[in-house]
Amino acid sequence: MIRLTLDELHELAVAILRRHGFSEPHVQAVAATVVAGERDGCASHGVWRLLGCIATAQAGKVCRDAEPQVVDQAPGLVRVDAHGGFSQCAFAVGLPLLVDKARQQGIAALAINRCVHFSALWVEIEQITAQGLVALAATPSHAWVAPAGGSRPLFGTNPIAFGWPRGAQAPFVFDFATSAVARGEIQLHEREGKAIPPGWGIDAEGQPSCDPGAVLKGAMLTFGGHKGSALAAMVELLAGPLIGDLTSAESLALDAGARALPYHGELLIALDPARFLGADAAQHMARAETLFAAIVDMGARLPSQRRFAARQRSLAEGVAISESLYADLRTLLE
Amino acid sequence: MIRLTLDELHELAVAILRRHGFSEPHVQAVAATVVAGERDGCASHGVWRLLGCIATAQAGKVCRDAEPQVVDQAPGLVRVDAHGGFSQCAFAVGLPLLVDKARQQGIAALAINRCVHFSALWVEIEQITAQGLVALAATPSHAWVAPAGGSRPLFGTNPIAFGWPRGAQAPFVFDFATSAVARGEIQLHEREGKAIPPGWGIDAEGQPSCDPGAVLKGAMLTFGGHKGSALAAMVELLAGPLIGDLTSAESLALDAGARALPYHGELLIALDPARFLGADAAQHMARAETLFAAIVDMGARLPSQRRFAARQRSLAEGVAISESLYADLRTLLE
């Protein structure tokens, strides 16, 4: 393993992105995201993702110097047209107006359109909770997941994320795929020649299967049966047609076998406790703390608790990445 | 079984509620809800619920003539103080301003406070989709459900509901508890002396149990493991502290063993596709129809499909209720 400080890792990410011709706003937004993933122990959303970013750029599937365009759509709505750039850059440009609107209206939404997406949603959620706002986010992906009772892929892994501000403490945050597991988990089983547990997927004939290869050619399943499937459909609708952007099936069709990162939209909603509660806000936010204490007191974990612990370690000690990944990243500098 | 037309059933519900001293707005709002449940084949939210309404009123746990008070909290926020009346009456009073705000701002929220709650959320969701708006709703209940990894009840059954307008067709609607099953399902198993499947609950020591009696004294579990548990926590926060109202634990503590209906708040969010999409709205709503067609074409069901089929039957043929329930309802007229 190679050990790096977070600053060193950030410099490496910045150098790679600059080397491949990304505009400076893209460089900064994408570097911050992948370093945050590595810092929080989420290797699957860490600097490894730079390999996919560069491959997507080389395939001509992301615009390296896109200038996101902000549209003040309605008193409670911001739209950002990413113009084919990465979602993180569009989010950074749209965030200030979303925050302003949430504070003025009490609730506001940010729709990001025509972006290339690979980020975990918690990165954006935490930028909203840092402003003292409650946040929701959802995005489709590529059509890999069958609806409950269905036989063919239609939904993406369609993550849903939520955040609740806790003042100086780390926020209450969750961010999960509505698929039973991440697609990468099934790919990992395939590479290792291991069977997957029942409930993760079906084969191309729509039959339950524990063969990872058959499921990757068939369809993944949602978590939680028909309830998870209903949520996956909701994500398609809210972060697809409602914002005038692609569903997971349309995004996969557009990809046309290039295996690039998904290209579509994202919806974020921000709610301002101060606007809901006025002078009583502090008192009611304290009641949320009572709820969190009750969860922890019975030995259960808050979502993201492990991630925040990893963050503390990484801030103090830096991170360790494998020699092979480090070598692959260095190659991108050549 | 006793067969009644929907008009006859509605008259019976109205007569019972009037006989027990509810104000006319309460009579109409509650009667419409329980008749809608019966009409849609949801016996658990049908006229049977009138027995609980009257018991709650007789226990002094609902205010029969509460006058809900509408507060224009912010450009995107409506609050309705139910003043201890039933949620349906408060919703009816707040709905027009929620719709106005969603159309003006693009997104708006309705917080209902201090209401007694027993309704399925789809009844309200469908009144919002009938206005061409997308809708979300959530409410806590009583603390009967343990968080993932926990040993004691903390969350309510905490339903989440979503609706998408489909013009002249029935909307896309789901409404489900974030608990693995409804509490009534476990009570039914207890009455019939049957074991419950693994995954529904834990006993008072926090151990998994298939004994319905032990689980009713212990805690129910959420659907979908830690993901369902995260959603249940989100419902507590959004429809509790965020709107200045009780969590499920606080609501159960307030009940103090009276076994009355839960007393707390509800959050609804409405989004206007016309504001998001402008002149392109019809084109993008048609893409949602393509998604629904793909679900149905592979033999999967849309959520609520069975409910809408029951509605068609009931509108044509009326509904049948058991003689014993009919007798119990007639007794309430004495």
Side-chain angles (χ1 to χ4, degrees):
Chain A
M1 302 294 280
I2 306 286
R3 185 158 284 281
L4 298 167
T5 67
L6 292 177
D7 283 346
E8 288 166 345
L9 193 68
H10 185 260
E11 273 170 40
L12 177 61
V14 164
I16 290 169
L17 290 159
R18 283 187 184 146
R19 165 72 187 77
H20 288 270
F22 283 95
S23 68
E24 199 56 22
H26 267 90
V27 168
Q28 294 304 328
V30 173
T33 304
V34 296
V35 171
E38 204 70 40
R39 176 199 67 197
D40 282 12
C42 306
S44 64
H45 285 95
V47 291
W48 169 78
R49 289 282 181 154
L50 289 170
L51 306 176
C53 292
I54 303 307
T56 297
Q58 288 171 340
K61 295 277 188 179
V62 65
C63 178
R64 305 176 207 213
D65 59 355
E67 294 192 10
Q69 184 187 354
V70 178
V71 178
D72 191 337
Q73 180 83 7
L77 303 181
V78 193
R79 291 183 74 155
V80 182
D81 188 333
H83 284 305
F86 281 123
S87 62
Q88 295 97 327
C89 189
F91 175 78
V93 170
L95 177 63
L97 190 53
L98 173 68
V99 170
D100 280 355
K101 284 180 179 290
R103 292 203 175 122
Q104 279 168 32
Q105 315 297 320
I107 183 170
L110 167 60
I112 300 176
N113 289 121
R114 285 175 281 286
C115 67
V116 180
H117 209 288
F118 71 91
S119 171
L121 298 177
W122 59 257
V123 181
E124 295 169 359
I125 290 285
E126 290 188 22
Q127 292 177 66
I128 302 174
T129 57
Q131 303 290 327
L133 303 174
V134 176
L136 277 161
T139 183
S141 64
H142 273 165
W144 289 318
V145 179
S151 55
R152 292 189 297 276
L154 180 67
F155 302 145
T157 50
N158 293 11
I160 296 176
F162 172 77
W164 179 272
R166 300 183 64 192
Q169 292 182 75
F172 175 93
V173 175
F174 67 75
D175 176 0
F176 60 73
T178 51
S179 52
V181 289
R183 190 164 179 84
E185 194 67 35
I186 300 177
Q187 290 165 328
L188 202 66
H189 278 72
E190 186 185 37
R191 223 173 303 147
E192 294 173 0
K194 290 200 307 196
I196 55 173
W200 286 16
I202 54 179
D203 64 22
E205 279 71 50
Q207 297 304 311
S209 174
C210 294
D211 172 354
V215 165
L216 290 170
K217 290 188 199 78
M220 298 163 65
L221 292 173
T222 63
F223 91 102
H226 73 278
K227 296 181 181 181
S229 180
L231 291 170
M234 178 184 79
V235 172
E236 294 288 334
L237 294 166
L238 287 180
L242 178 67
I243 63 169
D245 219 313
L246 302 185
T247 61
S248 295
E250 292 166 338
S251 176
L252 186 61
L254 186 76
D255 185 59
R259 303 174 75 101
L261 293 166
Y263 170 75
H264 48 58
E266 177 181 347
L267 179 69
L268 299 110
I269 296 174
L271 305 103
D272 186 0
R275 271 310 227 164
F276 273 85
L277 297 165
D280 297 332
Q283 167 203 337
H284 291 298
M285 298 307 271
R287 292 173 40 249
E289 294 302 316
T290 304
L291 184 80
F292 301 140
I295 294 172
V296 173
D297 286 351
M298 67 174 90
R301 254 199 299 261
L302 296 179
S304 300
Q305 202 167 309
R306 270 187 286 206
R307 191 163 60 72
F308 293 131
R311 183 180 302 182
Q312 291 310 313
R313 278 197 308 277
S314 299
L315 288 167
E317 304 163 16
V319 294
I321 62 174
S322 73
E323 284 190 35
S324 69
L325 174 57
Y326 187 68
D328 287 345
L329 292 171
R330 299 286 310 179
T331 303
L332 292 179
L333 288 174
E334 286 164 13
Chain B
M1 302 294 280
I2 306 285
R3 185 158 283 283
L4 299 168
T5 66
L6 292 177
D7 283 346
E8 287 165 345
L9 193 69
H10 185 260
E11 272 171 42
L12 176 62
V14 164
I16 290 169
L17 290 159
R18 283 188 184 146
R19 165 72 187 77
H20 288 270
F22 284 96
S23 68
E24 199 56 23
H26 268 90
V27 168
Q28 294 304 327
V30 173
T33 304
V34 296
V35 172
E38 203 70 42
R39 174 199 68 197
D40 283 12
C42 307
S44 64
H45 285 94
V47 290
W48 169 78
R49 288 282 182 153
L50 289 170
L51 306 177
C53 292
I54 303 307
T56 297
Q58 287 170 341
K61 295 277 187 180
V62 64
C63 178
R64 305 177 206 213
D65 59 354
E67 293 192 10
Q69 184 187 354
V70 178
V71 178
D72 190 339
Q73 180 83 6
L77 304 181
V78 193
R79 291 183 74 156
V80 182
D81 188 332
H83 284 305
F86 281 123
S87 63
Q88 295 96 326
C89 188
F91 174 78
V93 170
L95 177 63
L97 190 53
L98 173 68
V99 171
D100 280 356
K101 283 179 179 292
R103 291 203 175 122
Q104 278 168 32
Q105 314 298 319
I107 184 170
L110 167 60
I112 300 176
N113 289 121
R114 286 174 280 284
C115 67
V116 179
H117 209 289
F118 70 91
S119 171
L121 298 177
W122 59 256
V123 181
E124 294 168 1
I125 289 285
E126 290 188 22
Q127 292 177 66
I128 301 174
T129 57
Q131 303 290 327
L133 303 173
V134 176
L136 278 161
T139 183
S141 65
H142 273 164
W144 289 317
V145 179
S151 54
R152 292 189 297 275
L154 180 67
F155 301 146
T157 50
N158 293 11
I160 296 176
F162 172 77
W164 179 273
R166 300 183 65 194
Q169 292 182 74
F172 175 94
V173 175
F174 67 76
D175 175 0
F176 60 74
T178 51
S179 52
V181 289
R183 190 165 179 83
E185 194 68 36
I186 301 178
Q187 290 166 328
L188 201 66
H189 278 72
E190 187 185 36
R191 223 174 300 148
E192 295 173 359
K194 291 200 306 195
I196 55 174
W200 285 16
I202 54 179
D203 63 23
E205 278 69 50
Q207 297 305 311
S209 174
C210 293
D211 173 353
V215 165
L216 290 171
K217 289 189 200 77
M220 298 162 66
L221 292 173
T222 63
F223 91 101
H226 72 278
K227 295 182 181 180
S229 180
L231 291 170
M234 179 184 78
V235 171
E236 294 287 334
L237 294 166
L238 287 180
L242 178 65
I243 62 169
D245 220 312
L246 303 185
T247 61
S248 295
E250 292 166 338
S251 175
L252 186 60
L254 186 76
D255 185 59
R259 302 174 76 100
L261 293 165
Y263 171 75
H264 48 58
E266 177 182 347
L267 179 69
L268 299 110
I269 296 174
L271 306 101
D272 185 1
R275 271 310 227 163
F276 273 85
L277 297 166
D280 298 331
Q283 168 203 335
H284 291 297
M285 298 307 272
R287 291 173 41 249
E289 294 301 317
T290 304
L291 184 79
F292 301 140
I295 294 172
V296 173
D297 286 352
M298 67 175 91
R301 254 198 298 261
L302 296 179
S304 301
Q305 201 166 309
R306 270 188 285 206
R307 192 163 58 73
F308 292 132
R311 183 180 302 181
Q312 292 309 314
R313 277 197 308 277
S314 299
L315 287 169
E317 305 162 16
V319 293
I321 62 173
S322 72
E323 283 191 37
S324 69
L325 174 57
Y326 187 68
D328 287 346
L329 292 171
R330 300 285 310 179
T331 303
L332 292 178
L333 287 174
E334 288 163 13

